[in-house]
């Protein structure tokens, strides 16, 4: 059906039920009910919230509430808010030239009322698409009431020959321009209290004063917010009257399972790249899991500030770094396929250290060392999941008997295969990992690297910073003759000790 192009045609279409005319929150509610009946995802692209956050958002929309999303950084709050536009109608009619998306049937502004009075049913109308019905503002302390509500425009008054008190001289702010739309404010606590007063006043009472001139603007709008719980109590606050008018407070969270995290990172990370020379990229599952496990381990690490959180952007950027290192290696060695290795995660330290807020103990230890410990714990966890029950005794014994391997992250797949061929039992572990026989050399090399890194992470073998794998640290044996002699000598030393400066082998104490 063609859309009406004049006000008269629009009136007829509304009367015939061909065009829906309803408030924006009712529009969202009815479209959401229709989507629930159809089944399928409510907010495509928002992963990990199907059983937690999404049901609460659905309830808030069905109740026609303004709502706020509270969560740490990198929890898809903005993505979820922007996904609300999918619940809007495809387009709505507006008066051309109106700053506040005036409804042709019942315009709010003086401009809209004047246009309807002048043209009547012959007034041409425009259609506003759903993607233009979402207005977003980042709250900062320097935001003014003029930015949010509006101000008098003396230039407009001079050009039109109008008095400054005339409503037609007003320049509307972001909130009135979001009329019949969704208005989102990110980091709400950073917004000054007096600006928050203007928000709840115009929403609840529908009026506001601009430079002393009272304006009645009963806006049709859905107001949604996002905030960080840490900022909620530290840097700023939400004034009580505004909190009282926010119908629902919804908490977001990080991925609950490794599979959810892998899916989110796979969706967001830029890995589908085109490499000159026909190179292809193949990211093994265990590499994706190690990258994601880095974020999970960082969120549990005592040296990382829990209040700040570990953003989901961390595994996304780490995976992009890992793929870049594999891409560099493939180009340098003229390999037809770029397959990331677990050791490439160590090359992604710049994508990790900048996203970790450390506690005092972590600052003393250093961000690089903390990140390296986190990577090692992540590799150990994933290795246990894939090869925890595998027999690695032959491989470990080969290193214990003096064997060593010198590898680096630029070594070609063929070089790695040749170097590891002499290690007993290593090929069998590749098969247990699920790598089929006849797989490309870069794929097999990545699997071998994962096994070596996993054994190192579990402290069964050692690896130097230069990439040399050797035997693990020799375990300390207890109860032998040497231990008994050592203990007897220590007791004798204690008996002979006469305090500070004492002779006969006495020890010094601070």
């Amino acid at each position: 059906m063609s859309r009406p192009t004049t006000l008269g045609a629009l009136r007829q279409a509304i009367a015939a039920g061909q065009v829906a005319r309803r408030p924006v929150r009712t529009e969202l509610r009815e479209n959401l009910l229709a989507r629930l009946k159809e089944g399928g995802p409510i907010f495509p692209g928002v992963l990990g919230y199907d059983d937690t956050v999404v049901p609460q958002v659905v309830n808030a929309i069905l109740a026609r509430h303004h709502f706020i999303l509270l969560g740490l950084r990198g929890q898809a709050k903005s993505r979820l808010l922007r996904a609300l536009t999918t619940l809007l109608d495809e387009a709505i009619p507006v008066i051309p030239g109106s700053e506040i998306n005036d409804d042709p049937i019942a315009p709010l502004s003086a401009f809209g009322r004047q246009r309807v009075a002048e043209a009547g049913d012959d007034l041409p109308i425009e259609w506003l698409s759903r993607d233009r019905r979402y207005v977003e503002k980042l709250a900062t302390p320097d935001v003014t009431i003029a930015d949010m509500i509006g101000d008098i425009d003396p230039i407009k008054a001079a050009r039109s020959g109008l008095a400054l008190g005339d409503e037609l001289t007003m320049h509307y702010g972001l909130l009135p321009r979001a009329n019949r739309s969704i208005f989102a404010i990110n980091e709400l606590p950073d917004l000054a209290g007096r600006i928050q007063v203007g928000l709840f006043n115009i929403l609840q009472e529908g009026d506001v004063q601009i430079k002393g001139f009272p304006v009645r603007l009963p806006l049709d709008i859905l107001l949604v917010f996002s905030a960080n719980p840490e900022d909620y109590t530290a840097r700023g606050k939400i004034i009580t009257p505004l909190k009282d008018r926010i119908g629902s407070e919804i908490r977001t969270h990080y991925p609950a399972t490794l599979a959810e995290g892998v899916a989110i990172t796979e969706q967001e990370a830029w890995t589908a790249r085109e490499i000159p020379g026909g190179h292809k990229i193949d990211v093994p599952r265990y590499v994706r899991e190690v990258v994601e496990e880095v974020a999970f381990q960082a969120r549990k690490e005592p040296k990382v500030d829990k209040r700040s959180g570990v953003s989901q952007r961390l595994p996304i950027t780490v995976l992009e770094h890992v793929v870049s290192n594999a891409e560099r290696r493939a180009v340098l060695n003229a390999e037809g396929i770029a397959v990331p290795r677990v050791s490439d995660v160590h090359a992604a330290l710049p994508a990790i250290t900048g996203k970790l807020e450390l506690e005092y103990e972590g600052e003393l230890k250093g961000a690089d060392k903390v990140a390296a410990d986190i990577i090692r714990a992540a590799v150990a966890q994933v290795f246990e999941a894939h090869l925890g029950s595998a027999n690695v005794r032959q491989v470990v014994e080969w290193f214990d008997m003096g064997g060593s391997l010198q590898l680096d992250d630029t070594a070609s797949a063929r070089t790695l295969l040749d170097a590891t061929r002499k290690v007993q039992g290593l090929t069998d572990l590749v098969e247990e990992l699920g790598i089929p026989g006849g797989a490309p050399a870069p794929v097999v090399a990545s699997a071998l690297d994962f096994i070596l890194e996993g054994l190192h992470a579990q402290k069964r073998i050692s690896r130097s910073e230069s990439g040399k794998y050797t035997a693990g640290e020799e375990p300390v044996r207890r109860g032998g003759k040497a231990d008994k002699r050592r203990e007897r000598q220590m007791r004798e030393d204690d008996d002979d000790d006469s305090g500070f400066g004492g002779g006969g082998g006495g020890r010094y104490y601070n």
Side-chain angles (χ1 to χ4, degrees), residues 297-314:
Q297 292 294 329
R299 290 170 190 143
K300 297 188 296 184
E301 173 58 49
K303 299 180 185 66
V304 176
D305 187 0
K306 300 296 185 297
R307 296 168 300 174
S308 178
V310 177
S311 171
Q312 188 60 26
R313 299 182 187 94
L314 185 146

Side-chain angles (χ1 to χ4, degrees), residues 498-510:
S498 59
F500 295 106
R507 292 170 294 173
Y508 291 89
Y509 295 88
N510 292 327

Side-chain angles (χ1 to χ4, degrees), residues 20 60 74 112 118 160 211 218 222 276 287 292 296 308 333 335 342 408 447 508:
E118 291 174 351
S160 305
K211 295 290 180 143
L222 171 66
V287 172
E292 200 63 40
F296 276 76
S308 178
N333 296 299
E335 294 176 338
V342 171
D408 59 71
Y508 291 89

Side-chain angles (χ1 to χ4, degrees), residues 102-249:
D102 271 309
D103 182 359
I105 304 298
L108 287 182
S109 69
F111 169 82
R113 296 192 298 271
Q114 181 177 329
R115 292 283 289 131
V116 171
E118 291 174 351
D121 285 349
D122 294 329
L123 174 70
I125 61 174
E126 289 182 349
W127 290 83
L128 188 69
S129 62
R130 61 161 65 107
D131 59 330
R132 294 171 58 193
R133 297 176 62 196
Y134 178 82
V135 180
E136 186 173 285
K137 175 63 178 174
L138 175 62
T140 55
D142 62 338
V143 173
T144 65
I145 198 71
D147 298 330
M148 301 298 292
I149 308 299
D151 202 350
I152 292 175
D153 188 348
I155 297 177
K156 183 188 291 187
R159 288 178 177 175
S160 305
L162 300 172
L164 289 177
D166 196 308
E167 188 178 343
L168 291 172
T169 66
M170 292 182 187
H171 172 77
Y172 292 106
L174 287 172
L175 189 58
R177 289 174 183 270
N179 184 38
R180 305 174 69 199
S181 304
I182 300 170
F183 186 51
I185 299 180
N186 284 323
E187 308 303 334
L188 178 61
D190 286 338
L191 198 64
R194 57 189 177 85
I195 311 301
Q196 296 184 36
V197 172
L199 290 180
F200 77 72
N201 194 64
I202 196 170
L203 283 175
Q204 190 73 20
E205 283 75 27
D207 57 8
V208 68
Q209 287 192 1
I210 299 178
K211 295 290 180 143
F213 181 76
V215 182
R216 179 74 178 165
L217 285 177
L219 297 175
D220 176 21
I221 195 169
L222 171 66
L223 194 59
V224 292
F225 309 94
S226 73
N228 190 312
E230 180 188 9
D231 298 337
Y232 196 93
T233 56
R235 289 210 314 253
K237 67 176 183 178
I238 303 175
I239 63 173
T240 303
L242 182 57
K243 285 168 52 177
D244 185 54
R245 285 163 172 79
I246 298 175
S248 300
E249 181 180 278

Side-chain angles (χ1 to χ4, degrees), residues 46-60:
V46 179
L47 305 178
Y49 285 166
D50 290 344
D51 300 324
T52 53
V53 177
V54 169
Q56 297 181 49
V57 174
V58 167
N59 291 341

Side-chain angles (χ1 to χ4, degrees), residues 319-379:
L319 183 59
E320 291 172 344
H321 263 267
V322 167
V323 170
S324 294
N325 207 55
E327 181 181 357
R328 177 172 65 95
R329 180 173 55 247
V331 172
L332 289 175
N333 296 299
E335 294 176 338
I337 180 172
V339 183
R341 303 172 186 171
V342 171
S343 57
D344 293 332
V345 179
H346 294 280
L349 278 178
I352 300 176
T353 55
K355 290 181 173 58
L356 299 181
E357 296 290 337
L358 300 180
E359 298 282 7
Y360 178 71
E361 184 182 354
E363 294 287 355
L364 291 179
K365 190 170 185 178
D368 287 350
K369 187 64 173 69
V370 172
D373 292 344
I374 290 172
I375 292 173
R376 185 168 183 169
V379 175

